[in-house]
Amino acid sequence: MKDYKNYYLVQAPPEDVYLALTNPLTISLWTGAEAIMSTEPGSEFSLWDDSIAGRNIEFVENKKIVQQWYFGDQPGESIVTFILHADKNGTSVELRHTNIPDSDIADMIEGWNLNYFGSLQDFYED
């Protein structure tokens, strides 16, 4: 199992980035796919037509999101944490993703960089 940590700059205030990560209508705008999302801890979520699915664990409005991402029958929970920091150019998002199956790590890093945060950054680009 592998862990991944990175920082991404999004050219929008933390309130907008939080909304983009938690509101299903806004998620659909930047992903181009239907999203199922709630800020209720314990609720299930689905993004990119069920390519990403899991359970919401914790929300601190405009500051932090913690989710469990599902990877089939893997032992241990794969936890994704987004921490939003105000930045002079928008929002610095600290991403921590733990317990990624070894066989999925390269695809996950590419997915985070290109699809997930790449799409989010493009959505807020000037």
Side-chain angles (χ1 to χ4, degrees):
M1 302 299 260
K2 304 277 187 198
D3 293 345
Y4 179 68
K5 181 177 179 178
N6 203 352
Y7 290 85
Y8 299 91
L9 183 62
V10 180
Q11 294 180 359
E15 300 79 26
D16 290 355
V17 175
Y18 182 84
L19 191 66
L21 295 173
T22 60
N23 181 292
L25 296 175
T26 309
I27 294 168
S28 293
L29 289 175
W30 64 268
T31 64
E34 183 180 351
I36 298 168
M37 178 63 72
S38 165
T39 53
E40 182 70 33
S43 62
E44 302 276 320
F45 69 89
S46 170
L47 308 173
W48 274 284
D49 299 321
D50 227 16
S51 292
I52 298 171
R55 180 177 59 86
N56 291 306
I57 297 172
E58 178 186 1
F59 295 93
V60 178
E61 191 170 0
N62 304 325
K63 296 181 188 291
K64 183 178 180 183
I65 301 163
V66 182
Q67 301 173 322
Q68 176 187 356
W69 283 28
Y70 299 150
F71 283 100
D73 296 330
Q74 83 170 44
E77 296 181 346
S78 184
I79 303 297
V80 172
T81 303
F82 303 95
I83 300 175
L84 310 181
H85 304 278
D87 181 272
K88 65 180 180 180
N89 296 312
T91 303
S92 173
V93 181
E94 177 184 339
L95 166 74
R96 288 182 280 169
H97 190 168
T98 64
N99 289 330
I100 303 167
D102 292 350
S103 60
D104 293 323
I105 188 69
D107 287 341
M108 286 305 304
I109 292 171
E110 181 178 323
W112 281 120
N113 292 332
L114 298 178
N115 301 331
Y116 205 99
F117 280 100
S119 295
L120 189 59
Q121 289 165 328
D122 289 347
F123 183 71
Y124 284 111
E125 210 170 61
D126 287 339

